[in-house]
Structure formats: C-alpha cells, structure tokens
Short mmCIF file of all heavy atoms in Angstrom, two decimals:
data_model
loop_
_atom_site.label_atom_id
_atom_site.label_comp_id
_atom_site.label_asym_id
_atom_site.label_seq_id
_atom_site.Cartn_x
_atom_site.Cartn_y
_atom_site.Cartn_z
N ILE Y 20 -1.23 20.89 -91.77
CA ILE Y 20 -2.42 20.19 -92.42
C ILE Y 20 -2.17 20.17 -93.90
O ILE Y 20 -2.72 21.07 -94.61
CB ILE Y 20 -3.75 20.84 -92.02
CG1 ILE Y 20 -3.91 20.81 -90.52
CG2 ILE Y 20 -4.89 20.06 -92.64
CD1 ILE Y 20 -5.15 21.51 -89.99
N PRO Y 21 -1.47 19.26 -94.45
CA PRO Y 21 -1.27 19.21 -95.92
C PRO Y 21 -2.62 19.08 -96.60
O PRO Y 21 -3.46 18.31 -96.19
CB PRO Y 21 -0.33 18.00 -96.14
CG PRO Y 21 0.25 17.72 -94.88
CD PRO Y 21 -0.70 18.19 -93.84
N THR Y 22 -2.76 19.78 -97.68
CA THR Y 22 -4.08 19.79 -98.37
C THR Y 22 -4.48 18.45 -98.89
O THR Y 22 -5.59 17.95 -98.78
CB THR Y 22 -3.97 20.78 -99.56
OG1 THR Y 22 -3.64 22.06 -99.10
CG2 THR Y 22 -5.34 20.87 -100.23
N ASN Y 23 -3.50 17.67 -99.45
CA ASN Y 23 -3.77 16.37 -100.05
C ASN Y 23 -4.15 15.32 -98.89
O ASN Y 23 -4.98 14.43 -99.11
CB ASN Y 23 -2.71 15.83 -100.95
CG ASN Y 23 -1.39 16.00 -100.33
OD1 ASN Y 23 -1.23 16.50 -99.17
ND2 ASN Y 23 -0.32 15.67 -101.12
N LEU Y 24 -3.57 15.48 -97.74
CA LEU Y 24 -3.85 14.60 -96.61
C LEU Y 24 -5.25 14.93 -96.08
O LEU Y 24 -6.02 14.03 -95.81
CB LEU Y 24 -2.84 14.75 -95.49
CG LEU Y 24 -3.07 13.87 -94.26
CD1 LEU Y 24 -3.05 12.40 -94.64
CD2 LEU Y 24 -1.98 14.21 -93.27
N ALA Y 25 -5.61 16.16 -95.93
CA ALA Y 25 -6.93 16.50 -95.51
C ALA Y 25 -8.01 16.12 -96.53
O ALA Y 25 -9.08 15.59 -96.04
CB ALA Y 25 -7.05 18.06 -95.34
N THR Y 26 -7.70 16.23 -97.83
CA THR Y 26 -8.67 15.70 -98.80
C THR Y 26 -8.82 14.19 -98.73
O THR Y 26 -9.91 13.70 -98.73
CB THR Y 26 -8.15 16.11 -100.23
OG1 THR Y 26 -7.93 17.53 -100.28
CG2 THR Y 26 -9.12 15.69 -101.27
N ALA Y 27 -7.71 13.48 -98.52
CA ALA Y 27 -7.77 12.03 -98.46
C ALA Y 27 -8.57 11.62 -97.22
O ALA Y 27 -9.33 10.63 -97.20
CB ALA Y 27 -6.37 11.42 -98.43
N ALA Y 28 -8.43 12.27 -96.12
CA ALA Y 28 -9.14 12.04 -94.83
C ALA Y 28 -10.65 12.32 -95.09
O ALA Y 28 -11.49 11.53 -94.61
CB ALA Y 28 -8.62 12.83 -93.72
N ALA Y 29 -11.00 13.39 -95.78
CA ALA Y 29 -12.36 13.78 -95.96
C ALA Y 29 -13.02 12.75 -96.93
O ALA Y 29 -14.28 12.47 -96.75
CB ALA Y 29 -12.48 15.15 -96.57
N GLU Y 30 -12.33 12.14 -97.87
CA GLU Y 30 -12.90 11.27 -98.79
C GLU Y 30 -12.86 9.74 -98.36
O GLU Y 30 -13.25 8.87 -99.05
CB GLU Y 30 -12.19 11.36 -100.19
CG GLU Y 30 -12.40 12.75 -100.77
CD GLU Y 30 -11.49 12.91 -102.03
OE1 GLU Y 30 -10.70 12.08 -102.36
OE2 GLU Y 30 -11.73 13.93 -102.72
N CYS Y 31 -12.36 9.49 -97.16
CA CYS Y 31 -12.19 8.16 -96.61
C CYS Y 31 -13.62 7.59 -96.30
O CYS Y 31 -14.25 8.09 -95.43
CB CYS Y 31 -11.32 8.18 -95.42
SG CYS Y 31 -10.92 6.57 -94.76
N GLN Y 32 -13.99 6.57 -97.03
CA GLN Y 32 -15.36 5.97 -96.84
C GLN Y 32 -15.32 4.49 -96.41
O GLN Y 32 -16.17 4.07 -95.66
CB GLN Y 32 -16.20 6.10 -98.12
CG GLN Y 32 -16.42 7.60 -98.51
CD GLN Y 32 -17.32 8.35 -97.58
OE1 GLN Y 32 -18.18 7.83 -97.08
NE2 GLN Y 32 -17.02 9.60 -97.43
N SER Y 33 -14.43 3.77 -97.08
CA SER Y 33 -14.47 2.27 -96.82
C SER Y 33 -13.16 1.85 -96.09
O SER Y 33 -12.30 2.60 -95.82
CB SER Y 33 -14.54 1.59 -98.14
OG SER Y 33 -13.28 1.82 -98.86
N GLU Y 34 -13.23 0.59 -95.72
CA GLU Y 34 -12.07 0.00 -95.05
C GLU Y 34 -10.76 0.08 -95.84
O GLU Y 34 -9.70 0.28 -95.35
CB GLU Y 34 -12.40 -1.44 -94.57
CG GLU Y 34 -11.42 -2.06 -93.60
CD GLU Y 34 -11.44 -1.39 -92.19
OE1 GLU Y 34 -12.48 -0.87 -91.81
OE2 GLU Y 34 -10.35 -1.31 -91.59
N ASN Y 35 -10.93 -0.14 -97.20
CA ASN Y 35 -9.85 -0.01 -98.06
C ASN Y 35 -9.28 1.43 -98.10
O ASN Y 35 -8.13 1.64 -98.15
CB ASN Y 35 -10.28 -0.41 -99.48
CG ASN Y 35 -9.12 -0.61 -100.43
OD1 ASN Y 35 -7.98 -0.90 -99.98
ND2 ASN Y 35 -9.30 -0.34 -101.68
N ASP Y 36 -10.18 2.39 -98.09
CA ASP Y 36 -9.77 3.80 -97.98
C ASP Y 36 -8.99 4.12 -96.66
O ASP Y 36 -8.03 4.86 -96.70
CB ASP Y 36 -11.00 4.78 -98.09
CG ASP Y 36 -11.59 4.76 -99.49
OD1 ASP Y 36 -10.95 4.33 -100.48
OD2 ASP Y 36 -12.75 5.20 -99.55
N VAL Y 37 -9.43 3.43 -95.63
CA VAL Y 37 -8.76 3.68 -94.29
C VAL Y 37 -7.31 3.11 -94.41
O VAL Y 37 -6.39 3.81 -93.96
CB VAL Y 37 -9.53 2.92 -93.15
CG1 VAL Y 37 -8.74 2.94 -91.87
CG2 VAL Y 37 -10.91 3.59 -92.97
N GLU Y 38 -7.06 1.96 -95.06
CA GLU Y 38 -5.79 1.47 -95.19
C GLU Y 38 -4.88 2.41 -96.10
O GLU Y 38 -3.74 2.57 -95.77
CB GLU Y 38 -5.73 0.06 -95.70
CG GLU Y 38 -4.49 -0.65 -95.76
CD GLU Y 38 -3.75 -0.67 -94.43
OE1 GLU Y 38 -4.39 -0.81 -93.41
OE2 GLU Y 38 -2.46 -0.55 -94.37
N ASN Y 39 -5.50 2.87 -97.09
CA ASN Y 39 -4.78 3.81 -97.95
C ASN Y 39 -4.37 5.10 -97.21
O ASN Y 39 -3.34 5.62 -97.37
CB ASN Y 39 -5.59 4.17 -99.27
CG ASN Y 39 -5.68 3.02 -100.21
OD1 ASN Y 39 -4.92 2.08 -100.12
ND2 ASN Y 39 -6.73 3.01 -101.03
N LEU Y 40 -5.32 5.62 -96.45
CA LEU Y 40 -5.03 6.77 -95.63
C LEU Y 40 -3.92 6.52 -94.61
O LEU Y 40 -3.04 7.30 -94.39
CB LEU Y 40 -6.31 7.21 -94.88
CG LEU Y 40 -6.24 8.44 -93.99
CD1 LEU Y 40 -5.86 9.68 -94.81
CD2 LEU Y 40 -7.51 8.69 -93.23
N ARG Y 41 -3.97 5.29 -93.99
CA ARG Y 41 -2.90 4.89 -93.08
C ARG Y 41 -1.59 4.93 -93.76
O ARG Y 41 -0.61 5.44 -93.15
CB ARG Y 41 -3.29 3.58 -92.47
CG ARG Y 41 -2.32 3.06 -91.46
CD ARG Y 41 -2.71 1.71 -90.97
NE ARG Y 41 -1.72 1.14 -90.09
CZ ARG Y 41 -0.61 0.54 -90.52
NH1 ARG Y 41 -0.32 0.44 -91.84
NH2 ARG Y 41 0.30 0.04 -89.64
N GLN Y 42 -1.42 4.37 -94.89
CA GLN Y 42 -0.19 4.33 -95.60
C GLN Y 42 0.27 5.78 -96.00
O GLN Y 42 1.54 6.10 -95.90
CB GLN Y 42 -0.30 3.50 -96.91
CG GLN Y 42 -0.51 2.01 -96.64
CD GLN Y 42 0.62 1.40 -95.83
OE1 GLN Y 42 1.77 1.71 -95.97
NE2 GLN Y 42 0.24 0.51 -94.96
N TYR Y 43 -0.67 6.59 -96.39
CA TYR Y 43 -0.36 7.96 -96.76
C TYR Y 43 0.11 8.73 -95.50
O TYR Y 43 1.04 9.52 -95.56
CB TYR Y 43 -1.62 8.64 -97.27
CG TYR Y 43 -1.33 9.98 -97.90
CD1 TYR Y 43 -0.69 10.12 -99.16
CD2 TYR Y 43 -1.62 11.16 -97.20
CE1 TYR Y 43 -0.41 11.31 -99.73
CE2 TYR Y 43 -1.28 12.38 -97.77
CZ TYR Y 43 -0.74 12.47 -99.00
OH TYR Y 43 -0.39 13.72 -99.51
N CYS Y 44 -0.48 8.51 -94.35
CA CYS Y 44 -0.06 9.16 -93.05
C CYS Y 44 1.30 8.74 -92.75
O CYS Y 44 2.10 9.52 -92.22
CB CYS Y 44 -1.04 8.81 -91.94
SG CYS Y 44 -2.65 9.63 -92.10
N ILE Y 45 1.66 7.49 -92.91
CA ILE Y 45 3.05 6.98 -92.57
C ILE Y 45 4.03 7.67 -93.48
O ILE Y 45 5.14 8.06 -93.08
CB ILE Y 45 3.11 5.48 -92.72
CG1 ILE Y 45 2.30 4.79 -91.52
CG2 ILE Y 45 4.53 4.94 -92.69
CD1 ILE Y 45 2.05 3.33 -91.72
N ALA Y 46 3.67 7.84 -94.78
CA ALA Y 46 4.59 8.36 -95.74
C ALA Y 46 4.83 9.93 -95.63
O ALA Y 46 5.90 10.40 -95.87
CB ALA Y 46 4.07 8.17 -97.12
N GLU Y 47 3.84 10.60 -95.04
CA GLU Y 47 3.89 12.02 -94.88
C GLU Y 47 3.74 12.44 -93.39
O GLU Y 47 2.62 12.72 -93.00
CB GLU Y 47 2.90 12.72 -95.76
CG GLU Y 47 3.04 14.20 -95.72
CD GLU Y 47 2.57 14.88 -97.02
OE1 GLU Y 47 2.40 14.17 -98.01
OE2 GLU Y 47 2.33 16.11 -97.03
N PRO Y 48 4.79 12.43 -92.63
CA PRO Y 48 4.59 12.79 -91.22
C PRO Y 48 4.36 14.25 -90.99
O PRO Y 48 5.03 15.18 -91.50
CB PRO Y 48 6.01 12.38 -90.66
CG PRO Y 48 6.96 12.41 -91.71
CD PRO Y 48 6.14 12.18 -92.96
N CYS Y 49 3.36 14.54 -90.27
CA CYS Y 49 2.88 15.90 -89.91
C CYS Y 49 1.97 15.80 -88.67
O CYS Y 49 1.56 14.64 -88.31
CB CYS Y 49 2.26 16.64 -90.99
SG CYS Y 49 0.69 16.00 -91.50
N PRO Y 50 1.61 16.85 -87.97
CA PRO Y 50 0.73 16.69 -86.81
C PRO Y 50 -0.59 16.02 -87.17
O PRO Y 50 -1.03 15.15 -86.45
CB PRO Y 50 0.47 18.14 -86.38
CG PRO Y 50 1.75 18.82 -86.78
CD PRO Y 50 2.17 18.21 -88.10
N LEU Y 51 -1.19 16.40 -88.29
CA LEU Y 51 -2.46 15.76 -88.64
C LEU Y 51 -2.26 14.24 -89.00
O LEU Y 51 -3.11 13.49 -88.53
CB LEU Y 51 -3.04 16.46 -89.93
CG LEU Y 51 -4.37 15.86 -90.48
CD1 LEU Y 51 -5.43 15.91 -89.39
CD2 LEU Y 51 -4.79 16.56 -91.72
N SER Y 52 -1.20 13.84 -89.67
CA SER Y 52 -1.07 12.52 -89.99
C SER Y 52 -0.84 11.70 -88.68
O SER Y 52 -1.35 10.54 -88.55
CB SER Y 52 0.10 12.28 -90.88
OG SER Y 52 1.34 12.64 -90.30
N ARG Y 53 -0.16 12.27 -87.67
CA ARG Y 53 0.04 11.49 -86.41
C ARG Y 53 -1.29 11.33 -85.71
O ARG Y 53 -1.52 10.24 -85.09
CB ARG Y 53 1.06 12.30 -85.54
CG ARG Y 53 2.50 12.15 -86.07
CD ARG Y 53 3.52 12.65 -85.07
NE ARG Y 53 3.50 14.07 -85.06
CZ ARG Y 53 4.18 14.98 -85.80
NH1 ARG Y 53 4.99 14.41 -86.76
NH2 ARG Y 53 4.19 16.27 -85.64
N LEU Y 54 -2.16 12.35 -85.73
CA LEU Y 54 -3.44 12.26 -85.10
C LEU Y 54 -4.35 11.19 -85.87
O LEU Y 54 -5.03 10.38 -85.22
CB LEU Y 54 -4.16 13.60 -85.04
CG LEU Y 54 -3.45 14.58 -84.21
CD1 LEU Y 54 -4.12 15.94 -84.22
CD2 LEU Y 54 -3.40 14.18 -82.69
N LEU Y 55 -4.26 11.25 -87.22
CA LEU Y 55 -5.04 10.26 -87.95
C LEU Y 55 -4.59 8.86 -87.77
O LEU Y 55 -5.37 7.93 -87.58
CB LEU Y 55 -5.00 10.63 -89.41
CG LEU Y 55 -5.80 11.86 -89.91
CD1 LEU Y 55 -5.52 12.24 -91.31
CD2 LEU Y 55 -7.27 11.69 -89.69
N LEU Y 56 -3.23 8.61 -87.65
CA LEU Y 56 -2.77 7.34 -87.37
C LEU Y 56 -3.18 6.84 -86.01
O LEU Y 56 -3.55 5.61 -85.89
CB LEU Y 56 -1.25 7.33 -87.43
CG LEU Y 56 -0.55 7.23 -88.78
CD1 LEU Y 56 0.92 7.41 -88.70
CD2 LEU Y 56 -0.91 5.85 -89.39
N LEU Y 57 -3.19 7.69 -85.04
CA LEU Y 57 -3.70 7.24 -83.70
C LEU Y 57 -5.15 6.87 -83.77
O LEU Y 57 -5.53 5.83 -83.23
CB LEU Y 57 -3.54 8.42 -82.71
CG LEU Y 57 -3.96 8.08 -81.26
CD1 LEU Y 57 -3.03 7.06 -80.61
CD2 LEU Y 57 -4.03 9.34 -80.44
N ALA Y 58 -5.95 7.68 -84.47
CA ALA Y 58 -7.36 7.33 -84.58
C ALA Y 58 -7.59 5.99 -85.35
O ALA Y 58 -8.46 5.22 -85.01
CB ALA Y 58 -8.18 8.49 -85.26
N ILE Y 59 -6.78 5.79 -86.39
CA ILE Y 59 -6.92 4.57 -87.21
C ILE Y 59 -6.54 3.40 -86.39
O ILE Y 59 -7.17 2.32 -86.42
CB ILE Y 59 -6.11 4.68 -88.52
CG1 ILE Y 59 -6.73 5.71 -89.46
CG2 ILE Y 59 -5.95 3.40 -89.19
CD1 ILE Y 59 -5.83 6.11 -90.63
N GLU Y 60 -5.38 3.50 -85.66
CA GLU Y 60 -4.93 2.34 -84.88
C GLU Y 60 -5.90 2.02 -83.74
O GLU Y 60 -5.97 0.82 -83.36
CB GLU Y 60 -3.50 2.70 -84.29
CG GLU Y 60 -2.41 2.79 -85.29
CD GLU Y 60 -1.17 3.32 -84.82
OE1 GLU Y 60 -1.04 3.59 -83.58
OE2 GLU Y 60 -0.21 3.45 -85.56
N HIS Y 61 -6.61 2.97 -83.28
CA HIS Y 61 -7.59 2.72 -82.15
C HIS Y 61 -9.06 2.73 -82.63
O HIS Y 61 -9.92 2.97 -81.77
CB HIS Y 61 -7.34 3.75 -81.00
CG HIS Y 61 -5.99 3.73 -80.45
ND1 HIS Y 61 -5.21 4.79 -80.37
CD2 HIS Y 61 -5.29 2.65 -79.87
CE1 HIS Y 61 -4.05 4.49 -79.81
NE2 HIS Y 61 -4.09 3.20 -79.50
N ARG Y 62 -9.26 2.46 -83.90
CA ARG Y 62 -10.69 2.53 -84.33
C ARG Y 62 -11.54 1.42 -83.81
O ARG Y 62 -12.77 1.55 -83.84
CB ARG Y 62 -10.68 2.62 -85.86
CG ARG Y 62 -10.32 1.43 -86.60
CD ARG Y 62 -10.32 1.61 -88.08
NE ARG Y 62 -9.93 0.44 -88.89
CZ ARG Y 62 -8.68 0.20 -89.24
NH1 ARG Y 62 -7.75 0.97 -88.92
NH2 ARG Y 62 -8.45 -0.87 -89.94
N GLU Y 63 -10.92 0.36 -83.24
CA GLU Y 63 -11.76 -0.72 -82.67
C GLU Y 63 -12.22 -0.30 -81.22
O GLU Y 63 -13.08 -0.95 -80.70
CB GLU Y 63 -10.85 -1.98 -82.57
CG GLU Y 63 -10.33 -2.42 -83.87
CD GLU Y 63 -11.40 -2.77 -84.87
OE1 GLU Y 63 -12.47 -3.17 -84.50
OE2 GLU Y 63 -11.14 -2.49 -86.10
N TRP Y 64 -11.58 0.66 -80.66
CA TRP Y 64 -11.99 1.17 -79.29
C TRP Y 64 -13.32 1.80 -79.34
O TRP Y 64 -13.85 2.26 -80.37
CB TRP Y 64 -10.96 2.18 -78.78
CG TRP Y 64 -9.65 1.70 -78.41
CD1 TRP Y 64 -9.07 0.48 -78.71
CD2 TRP Y 64 -8.65 2.45 -77.75
NE1 TRP Y 64 -7.82 0.42 -78.20
CE2 TRP Y 64 -7.48 1.64 -77.64
CE3 TRP Y 64 -8.57 3.75 -77.28
CZ2 TRP Y 64 -6.33 2.09 -77.04
CZ3 TRP Y 64 -7.44 4.16 -76.59
CH2 TRP Y 64 -6.30 3.34 -76.53
N PRO Y 65 -14.01 1.89 -78.22
CA PRO Y 65 -15.29 2.64 -78.14
C PRO Y 65 -15.05 4.14 -78.53
O PRO Y 65 -13.91 4.65 -78.30
CB PRO Y 65 -15.69 2.57 -76.67
CG PRO Y 65 -15.00 1.41 -76.15
CD PRO Y 65 -13.69 1.29 -76.93
#
C-alpha cells in the first residue's frame, strides 16, 4: 500500500480525480492499485 497511492485514493472526490487515480494505478502496479483499478473499471455496476 504505497503512501502516495493511499493518499490519492482518499482524496478522490470527482470524476476527474477518478481518472487521475486510474492513471496513477496503471503507472504504479501493486496489490492496492490492482484492486482500485478493478473497482474503477466496474464503478457502473451495482
């Protein structure tokens, strides 16, 4: 759980922030980023 990724996820408020978080997760692969990417990709799901 990289500190800067956790901070970026905690500060994510808008759709623009979600896209920035997605790009950050792609750039820094780790278990947390893979989970966040999954949640972002399926955010339209119930």
Side-chain angles (χ1 to χ4, degrees):
I20 302 176
T22 307
N23 46 4
L24 180 60
T26 304
E30 295 173 353
C31 185
Q32 299 292 324
S33 67
E34 193 65 31
N35 191 30
D36 291 341
V37 170
E38 186 56 35
N39 290 338
L40 180 62
R41 183 180 172 282
Q42 293 301 323
Y43 190 78
C44 289
I45 291 171
E47 185 152 344
C49 68
L51 178 61
S52 66
R53 287 188 288 272
L54 294 175
L55 287 172
L56 276 173
L57 180 71
I59 290 169
E60 290 169 3
H61 298 125
R62 69 181 180 271
E63 305 301 326
W64 289 10

